[in-house]
Amino acid sequence: MDEAPGLSDQYRTASPWPVFIALGIPISELGLLFGLFPLAVGGLLLFGGSVVGMLSESGYVNSTMWASVVFSVLLFAFGSALAFTEVNLVVRGYATIAAAALLVVGGVVFELFVREQRDAF
Amino acid sequence: MEVNGQLALTVLMGVFLIAVAAWLARVEDWRSYTPLAGGGTVGGTAEQYVSEEKPSGVIRWLTTVDHKDIGILYGAYALVAFAVGGLMVVVMRIELADPASTVISNTFYNSLLTSHGITMLFLFGTPIIAAFSNYFIPLLIGADDMAFPRINAIAFWLLPPAALLIWAGFFPIPDVIPAQTAWTMYTPLSAGAGSGNQMNAGVDLMLLGLHLSGVSATMGSINFIATIFTERDEKVSWANLDIFSWTVLTQSGLILFAFPLLGSAILMLLLDRNFGTMFFSVDGGAILWQHLFWFFGHPEVYILVLPPMGIVSLVLPRFAGRRLFGFKFVVYSTLAIGVLSFGVWAHHMFATGIDPRLRASFMAVSLAIAIPSAVKTFNWITTMWNGKIRLTTPMLFCIGFVSNFILGGVTGVFLASIPVDLILHDTYYVVGHFHYIVMGAIAFAGFAGIYYWFPIYTGRMYQVTLGKWHFWLSMIGTNVTFFAMILLGYGGMPRRYATYLPQFATLHQIATVGALILLAGQIIFVWNFVQSWLEGRKVEDGDPWGLAEENLVTAEWTWFERKLQTAVTDGGEEEELATDGGNPVADADAESAADDE
Ligand code: HEM
Ligand SMILES: [Cu+2]
């Protein structure tokens, strides 16, 4: 019998991302609900970044950069809907757009610098 | 001032994000090392049998995606919430020991009332069920893990922030006060209308927290549906799927349809409160909230009761020495309850003046739902009939479940009848009814599970005598408290008040005494649980309940047996096993077990 019955060795039994996804959701909700710009940006960034991180960790996406681009397009669409339509929640809209922009930057930076370093090992 | 605040928040957020990034970089790096195969475990206890795949210490718990670890996290979380909600209600019951407002203010009473309800239903009830289902369903159906282990971890980690938000009003945050809307959050009060103080941000925080807990439950339910459908071992077919998995599958279906609706209704309420929409303030808005809330709310009560019924259906036959009587019908009635539970919600609204023809149809369905519930009850009783009953602690809690469920169910059937409800609605009778079920049945099944599987998740045995004390104090406390409430309801005592007319004093005092008995029982439980986990006698037999004799072993015990055999035995002497067998020798043994270690 295997050493740890009931456990597969196909996947890791640890992942650092879930905690941060779970933190990102309430932080961004608080920021968006009360119109607290920094909380909204930070929370969305945390949420988006962790989702991308988890997707690439589990092999659902190949490119971290493209995953963050897709995610930030979604954020951008949502932010624009808040800021530029009749909804007219300008601060919240801009916060979402800012998070989208930062997420792309983060994705690119990771692709250019961090990943190479890591692959070099 | 404004700008300064924003600046501070920005800096704080920035620092936090950088810290997160740095931490992630470290953890990711650490993870890129391949662990030594079968590597030496530091400390070398049996619990660390999987540690070659996991980091140690706090980080292990923060990063785990193993269903068993997550089950334990859910369980710990639920028990903490149970303690918080329980202590809240102890304060309330002490206040109710005399008619006037003496110990706490009326507003504080209302705040405790609101938080108690939400804490018990969403932070204790749902998570304690998730604890069992996470730990045991993959074992019962022979799966490696849940279908989506990471989603599973996310679902759990949403809960601690949810609790903080729900309790935020009690924290010393300037200008934030606790919600006083009761768990039903009826508009217009919860929309902040009128001259009251419910426009406060504390209510928004509570709503956000509730919303989060709903997201968590929904993620969990999707995971269970996927797991039970796709991850079963070849040997596990629909025909021999165990009863607990059936109830969790049904429950997950209910969650999938009910919780998103609650989420939407909460969002609508938040929009009304903060962005000037008028969903609930136009004509009919108040009744709209009630429809939306109870369309979620009634299925929610079955979401809470079905898996505990599953636990009882699984555990009770083990100590009756025979298989569950009419297994198929128990499954069918589970499914029937699942379907019917969406057709009864307006029985909570009989007194609102809705169309009498609608009322009558909801009454009919509500009476009908009692039938599958009764089928189950008779099946449990018949299973015990002429069985070889062993009154172990888990069995006692199962029998207590059946007994209390009958009282709760019968009072429910009375309430489902319109003329009776018009008299008893909004009295303590209703409080008595649902507490017989939520405390007397659901919590009891939780305890049955906690004791029954204690050897599996701790590797040790609890202290038998303390377990029995816990049961009897809980059983007596529950019945004293909630039967007094049923009588109070007959007398016309309205629910949700901090003060009352002197004529109700005696029954209220009896209820308070009952609550204190319950408290004493739970203190014993906490002691027994913690101390036995740390120092209880080690279990060395994969079948500590002696299920093999009657051929009643289920898959999780087979797994446990294998685990015990594969975990290198650290030279444990052959000890007589401490079973809870109603057998005086074993009892005495177990009592002294704690001292042996
Ligand atoms: C046998 C089936 C049941 C029937 C026919 C039934 C019927 C009812 C009725 C008619 C009410 C409304 C009373 C009123 O407010 O006037 C009610 C309230 C309630 N029931 Fe049940 N019930 C049943 C089972 C359950 C179960 C299994 C649970 C819990 C798991 C439960 C939990 C509740 C709760 C929490 C309330 C109070 C809601 C509030 O705060 O107003 N009931 N029940
Ligand atoms: Cu109901």
Side-chain angles (χ1 to χ4, degrees):
Chain A
M1 260 321 38
D2 47 339
E3 253 180 286
L7 266 174
S8 152
D9 45 12
Q10 304 290 311
Y11 65 92
R12 296 174 190 272
T13 53
S15 165
W17 302 107
V19 178
F20 295 113
I21 294 182
L23 266 181
I25 296 174
I27 294 177
S28 44
E29 276 186 347
L30 282 176
L32 289 175
L33 180 68
F34 294 115
L36 301 169
F37 195 89
L39 276 195
V41 176
L44 287 171
L45 208 54
L46 186 60
F47 177 60
S50 310
V51 169
V52 170
M54 194 176 83
L55 285 177
S56 55
E57 177 197 55
S58 50
Y60 283 116
V61 297
N62 294 323
S63 157
T64 313
M65 186 176 73
W66 285 113
S68 40
V69 168
V70 170
F71 201 97
S72 57
V73 167
L74 294 177
L75 279 184
F76 183 81
F78 179 61
S80 313
L82 288 183
F84 306 129
T85 63
E86 265 178 73
V87 178
N88 204 20
L89 295 172
V90 182
V91 174
R92 295 164 172 93
Y94 281 136
T96 313
I97 293 172
L102 286 173
L103 191 59
V104 176
V105 173
V108 172
V109 168
F110 182 85
E111 188 74 16
L112 292 183
F113 302 107
V114 186
R115 208 165 75 135
E116 269 174 37
Q117 255 183 11
R118 199 165 282 168
D119 290 349
F121 276 105
Chain B
M1 180 62 215
E2 263 295 290
V3 180
N4 271 344
Q6 286 273 339
L7 200 68
L9 213 57
T10 313
V11 172
L12 224 79
M13 198 66 227
V15 170
F16 174 66
L17 283 180
I18 291 170
V20 169
W23 190 81
L24 278 171
R26 260 192 60 198
V27 172
E28 279 279 284
D29 243 18
W30 159 84
R31 274 160 28 97
S32 57
Y33 292 112
T34 323
L36 288 173
T41 47
V42 191
T45 58
E47 286 88 355
Q48 287 175 325
Y49 64 99
V50 282
S51 63
E52 70 270 11
E53 286 264 4
K54 286 177 193 167
S56 54
V58 183
I59 296 188
R60 167 200 169 163
W61 293 103
L62 286 174
T63 59
T64 183
V65 296
D66 175 356
H67 69 99
K68 297 191 293 309
D69 287 352
I70 292 177
I72 288 177
L73 287 172
Y74 266 115
Y77 177 92
L79 289 178
V80 170
F82 188 58
V84 172
L87 291 175
M88 283 174 170
V89 86
V90 167
V91 176
M92 287 157 62
R93 278 310 331 168
I94 289 174
E95 164 60 47
L96 290 171
D98 82 317
S101 161
T102 28
V103 184
I104 53 177
S105 69
N106 292 350
T107 48
F108 193 61
Y109 180 92
N110 293 345
S111 313
L112 288 177
L113 173 85
T114 305
S115 268
H116 164 74
I118 292 181
T119 301
M120 287 307 197
L121 292 175
F122 299 97
L123 307 182
F124 163 66
T126 321
I128 193 77
I129 293 168
F132 293 119
S133 45
N134 268 291
Y135 203 109
F136 293 107
I137 285 200
L139 300 181
L140 283 166
I141 67 173
D144 288 338
D145 201 310
M146 298 290 288
F148 310 113
R150 292 181 185 78
I151 300 273
N152 204 18
I154 298 174
F156 171 75
W157 286 109
L158 284 172
L159 285 177
L164 291 181
L165 290 172
I166 287 171
W167 298 331
F170 292 101
F171 302 151
I173 309 171
D175 298 332
V176 176
I177 60 167
Q180 297 168 41
T181 57
W183 83 284
T184 50
M185 300 170 287
Y186 277 2
T187 58
L189 175 65
S190 61
S195 54
N197 51 11
Q198 292 303 288
M199 204 53 222
N200 190 274
V203 182
D204 294 307
L205 293 175
M206 185 269 278
L207 290 170
L208 273 185
L210 202 53
H211 187 255
L212 270 189
S213 82
V215 173
S216 155
T218 312
M219 289 175 125
S221 71
I222 294 172
N223 216 340
F224 280 112
I225 293 175
T227 306
I228 296 177
F229 266 89
T230 63
E231 304 283 309
R232 290 194 320 265
D233 191 80
E234 286 133 34
K235 284 176 295 195
V236 181
S237 67
W238 288 115
N240 61 15
L241 186 63
D242 67 281
I243 187 68
F244 182 54
S245 301
W246 272 113
T247 55
V248 170
L249 182 64
T250 314
Q251 179 219 29
S252 298
L254 295 185
I255 291 180
L256 200 56
F257 286 102
F259 266 95
L261 191 113
L262 174 72
S264 317
I266 288 178
L267 285 187
M268 287 159 74
L269 188 54
L270 281 169
L271 292 177
D272 268 15
R273 293 172 55 86
N274 295 287
F275 299 105
T277 57
M278 301 211 289
F279 292 113
F280 302 118
S281 47
V282 292
D283 243 10
I287 207 81
L288 172 65
W289 171 264
Q290 291 200 24
H291 276 299
L292 292 179
F293 181 81
W294 287 116
F295 186 85
F296 149 80
H298 188 86
E300 163 70 4
V301 306
Y302 281 98
I303 286 168
L304 288 170
V305 86
L306 282 177
M309 286 172 159
I311 293 179
V312 169
S313 304
L314 187 80
V315 174
L316 183 136
R318 314 288 137 208
F319 299 110
R322 46 208 294 219
R323 284 167 196 278
L324 182 63
F325 180 86
F327 182 93
K328 248 197 221 167
F329 289 93
V330 179
V331 173
Y332 292 150
S333 54
T334 303
L335 298 174
I337 289 176
V339 174
L340 288 176
S341 69
F342 280 102
V344 301
W345 78 86
H347 66 207
H348 297 275
M349 300 162 64
F350 284 159
T352 55
I354 55 172
D355 190 316
R357 285 160 298 184
L358 278 179
R359 265 197 334 206
S361 58
F362 278 101
M363 167 171 154
V365 184
S366 301
L367 294 176
I369 206 170
I371 295 170
S373 312
V375 167
K376 286 177 175 246
T377 308
F378 284 120
N379 277 295
W380 293 319
I381 295 174
T382 325
T383 305
M384 288 189 285
W385 193 267
N386 272 342
K388 265 203 266 168
I389 306 238
R390 285 187 288 156
L391 291 179
T392 60
T393 309
M395 182 61 165
L396 286 171
F397 274 105
C398 286
I399 298 173
F401 174 105
V402 176
S403 153
N404 293 334
F405 182 73
I406 291 174
L407 273 154
V410 168
T411 48
V413 176
F414 277 86
L415 286 173
S417 145
I418 298 167
V420 180
D421 185 69
L422 290 180
I423 294 173
L424 294 176
H425 175 64
D426 249 338
T427 68
Y428 261 71
Y429 188 88
V430 178
V431 184
H433 153 64
F434 69 77
H435 277 93
Y436 259 106
I437 293 176
V438 288
M439 176 67 212
I442 295 171
F444 271 43
F447 289 131
I450 287 175
Y451 285 111
Y452 178 62
W453 285 307
F454 196 82
I456 290 198
Y457 58 83
T458 65
R460 293 170 189 270
M461 186 46 95
Y462 59 84
Q463 295 158 66
V464 173
T465 316
L466 291 184
K468 303 233 156 108
W469 272 99
H470 176 212
F471 169 74
W472 284 110
L473 289 174
S474 299
M475 188 70 189
I476 293 169
T478 299
N479 280 281
V480 169
T481 310
F482 302 121
F483 203 79
M485 291 193 184
I486 286 180
L487 297 179
L488 277 169
Y490 282 135
M493 168 75 207
R495 62 192 279 206
R496 296 185 173 130
Y497 282 90
T499 57
Y500 52 86
L501 298 176
Q503 76 212 51
F504 296 118
T506 314
L507 282 170
H508 266 302
Q509 282 151 5
I510 292 175
T512 298
V513 170
L516 294 176
I517 297 176
L518 270 171
L519 176 68
Q522 308 325 302
I523 291 172
I524 293 177
F525 164 68
V526 171
W527 170 261
N528 190 4
F529 187 75
V530 174
Q531 209 227 359
S532 306
W533 192 321
L534 298 176
E535 311 182 339
R537 157 178 302 200
K538 286 226 170 76
V539 170
E540 274 140 25
D541 177 353
D543 182 18
W545 299 117
L547 302 177
E549 256 170 67
E550 307 286 345
N551 209 3
L552 289 169
V553 181
T554 43
E556 80 278 25
W557 294 106
T558 321
W559 171 86
F560 182 56
E561 173 91 59
R562 268 199 289 147
K563 181 185 138 187
L564 284 182
Q565 279 166 10
T566 47
V568 182
T569 41
D570 46 354
E573 338 82 82
E574 280 297 313
E575 278 174 300
E576 197 45 41
L577 187 76
T579 43
D580 180 4
N583 152 357
V585 182
D587 272 10
D589 260 343
E591 257 180 291
S592 59
D595 312 327
D596 293 348
E597 291 297 329

